[in-house]
Amino acid sequence: MYQALLADAKFHEQLLVFDRDLAASARAARCGLCGGALHRGSYARKPRGGPAGLGREYAERFSFCCAVDGCRKRATPPSLRFLGRHVYLATVVTLISALMLGTTPARLARLSVIAGLDRRTLARWRSWWRSTFTDSPFAAVAMAALVPPVDIASLPASLLERFAGDVTERLIALLRFLGPLSGGSSCEERAFGTTAMRAL
Ligand SMILES: [Zn+2]
């Protein structure tokens, strides 16, 4: 069922619609520091792992820059498509990581073929969920609010099962939950740019 979702172009288009709404809200809220107008300053990304034919806009990580000289603060809205600095789409990082739990080597090999993934990438994702994600200030606060506590070793499946609905609804809820993890700092910083980006 997870694999079907990963190949579902309509589902991915829906995530783009959510991201457009989040971007419109961020722009309407104006600069958080000085109240200035926000100009478009999207990052060019090369997202991996999605279905074919998603279009050019899908590679755009929506982001804005304050237009006021001397401020220029960047405002990057949450995204349901991109997760932090991962080059693979958030859907892939989340669902494949959930599938990895308790899987057999044969199944893992099949998954690797599906998304063009190698084992080192999968191992990095596992470590991201168990340390980078868990140690982030956002996750520390968000996870502390969950009762009973989420099983760290079973992330992200243990988080996915906390949300209601079918697989699609739960994944969307989880991607929204993870939204605060994706953001930028200043307009000068290009850490999310395709050239400077580490392949996580
Ligand atoms: Zn400003």
Side-chain angles (χ1 to χ4, degrees), residues 45 48 85-87 124 191-200:
R45 301 285 295 263
R48 291 187 206 160
R85 294 166 67 173
H86 290 289
V87 293
R124 276 201 300 271
F192 286 86
T194 47
T195 47
M197 199 160 46
R198 282 171 55 213
L200 281 172

Side-chain angles (χ1 to χ4, degrees), residues 31-36 66-68 71-73:
C31 174
L33 268 192
C34 74
C66 176
V68 175
C71 178
R72 304 286 294 156
K73 184 175 168 52

